[in-house]
Amino acid sequence: MRYTQRISAKLDKFRPSLTLGLKALVQERAARGLPVYDFGLGETKGHLNPEIRAAGEQAFREEETMYADPGGLPELRASVLRWLGLEHVYGPEDVVITTGAKQALLNTFMAIANPADVFLFDAAPWVSYQPLAVMSYATPIMVLPRSNDRMLVGPDDLERNIRMRPHARMFLLNNPVNPTAQMYDGDTVAALARVCARHGLYFVLDRLYWKLVFDGGAFPEPPLDDEVLPWLVQIDGMSKNFRRAGGLRIGWSVGPRDLTDAMVNLQSHYTSGPSVPSQRAALAALESSYDYTLVADLQRKRDLLIAAARSIPHVEVWDTPASFYSFWDVTRVFGKRTPSGEVLADSDDVAAYLCETAGVVTASGCGFMQDGYLRLAFDIPDQEITAGMTEARTAFAALS
Ligand code: PLP
């Protein structure tokens, strides 16, 4: 036998995406006629904006289905800069249009990592950062904050970790944070960016939820001066800030030209750029006036969920200033028994118990390296939120 190991050691250790797995679980329960309250996968629902649909349809009608520029349609690259308010800072050549924000992240990681370089992530990293880092031959490490204030990393925490890790090449900040729904303030973002720049580390800002800020708040933009710009890469896309747009698979990065050139070069070899009709749809979205009813709807759903969740026993519900997630501390149920006598030992157990007994599907904190927590995505119908919270309350109250 020539090969004893059929799958590379790198991929063999991957767990499938937790959140996409939740979608399959919901479909399976629904097919079996079981009740299901789907707080699992983080995706916007509702209906696609008519302009987006029309542009996609038109692209197919006009047979815009041939290969295009691997870095993305030039007009979409320019439009992304206007969408981000960066048209006076960058040129369209500094933008790469990608197959979802995931590819923008992988492009960035592949473009900057040498084998065994360290990538620093915040304290509750989104599920795919670590696999993407491993794919790029980098070693992912979480920056653990000294003060346990909502898992937010401060500049001192970052300094300390950089000093300990001479091979650190990058710090990735996800703001607003998936899964915790917290938002770093402008001073902290600026301080973190400057720590990176001073140490010659890339500061990668994943801002995928940046429009979904509640209570009149605004997304804190990073500093754009000569110190920070050479190290700043911003990642964004269509998947969260627009209704029902995750399947368009369009994202983008904006960053320094040398890095962008390297990413376009890379992308030209492995996707040749994203689907052209999807790019046309994205262009229509960015060129239309933004649909703020999405933000208003999500804020109302957040209020509905949080008001109901606060009376659930044993659960501490965190505030949600942005995004569409509610983050629950469920450590107080560890060690408790379910009515059928099982002891709940970790967040996977709590998520499984809620799903099996109440039909309430949540994402376990274990998928985000934070055992002790559950994440609930709330862009679902109001009645489903209310009914799901009632079921969850009954399930938690039944623990002894
Ligand atoms: N970054 C964060 C924080 C996310 O939550 C997600 C998707 O859930 C992504 C990146 C990937 O986005 P996309 O679906 O556009 O690839």
Side-chain angles (χ1 to χ4, degrees), residues 80-335:
V80 160
L81 293 179
R82 290 192 293 276
W83 158 254
L84 295 172
L86 293 175
E87 67 275 29
H88 303 302
V89 184
Y90 295 93
E93 306 77 18
D94 303 315
V95 179
V96 190
I97 309 297
T98 56
T99 303
K102 277 183 180 164
Q103 194 193 2
L105 288 162
L106 185 61
N107 283 347
T108 308
F109 292 5
M110 303 259 269
I112 64 184
N114 290 307
D117 279 348
V118 165
F119 282 177
L120 299 172
F121 294 100
D122 74 40
W126 168 64
V127 290
S128 295
Y129 290 142
Q130 308 219 16
L132 292 172
V134 171
M135 272 187 236
S136 331
Y137 296 95
T139 305
I141 291 188
M142 283 159 61
V143 175
L144 296 178
R146 274 232 169 101
S147 95
N148 207 9
D149 178 20
R150 298 296 195 228
M151 300 180 195
L152 296 170
V153 170
D156 294 348
D157 300 314
L158 186 56
E159 281 277 1
R160 199 173 59 249
N161 275 268
I162 293 173
R163 274 201 306 275
M164 283 190 294
R165 325 250 180 228
H167 293 295
R169 291 275 289 161
M170 177 206 81
F171 171 62
L172 187 144
L173 186 73
N174 174 210
N175 201 31
V177 186
N178 174 14
T180 63
Q182 303 307 295
M183 194 164 71
Y184 285 82
D185 62 37
D187 288 348
T188 309
V189 173
L192 291 168
R194 293 198 190 287
V195 169
C196 286
R198 277 200 296 274
H199 288 275
L201 262 72
Y202 287 98
F203 179 67
V204 179
L205 178 61
D206 176 344
R207 54 185 294 170
L208 200 56
Y209 298 79
W210 71 280
K211 281 281 186 186
L212 309 180
V213 179
F214 304 135
D215 308 313
F219 173 76
E221 295 289 344
L224 298 169
D225 52 34
D226 290 347
E227 183 183 33
V228 170
L229 276 177
W231 300 104
L232 175 67
V233 183
Q234 302 199 57
I235 309 276
D236 183 31
M238 290 295 298
S239 305
K240 311 295 174 178
N241 292 319
F242 296 88
R243 294 183 199 268
R244 213 183 183 84
L248 290 175
R249 307 306 305 128
I250 296 291
W252 44 81
S253 61
V254 184
R257 180 74 53 87
D258 53 348
L259 201 62
T260 298
D261 287 347
M263 293 197 266
V264 173
N265 186 357
L266 169 68
Q267 180 160 294
S268 75
H269 292 292
Y270 82 106
T271 61
S272 302
S275 147
V276 175
S278 279
Q279 292 192 68
R280 284 280 167 219
L283 179 60
L286 300 194
E287 292 298 310
S288 310
S289 56
Y290 185 69
D291 172 18
Y292 280 100
T293 66
L294 173 60
V295 184
D297 284 353
L298 290 174
Q299 182 169 320
R300 198 195 63 251
K301 288 177 192 297
R302 173 203 65 175
D303 293 345
L304 187 67
L305 182 139
I306 289 189
R310 290 245 149 97
S311 63
I312 295 179
H314 317 303
V315 172
E316 190 208 333
V317 180
W318 287 21
D319 290 338
T320 293
S323 82
F324 45 75
Y325 300 119
S326 179
F327 200 63
W328 294 6
D329 180 341
V330 292
T331 42
R332 273 178 283 160
V333 303
F334 289 179

Side-chain angles (χ1 to χ4, degrees), residues 351-365:
Y353 168 67
L354 274 182
C355 180
E356 280 152 24
T357 60
V360 174
V361 177
T362 61
S364 160

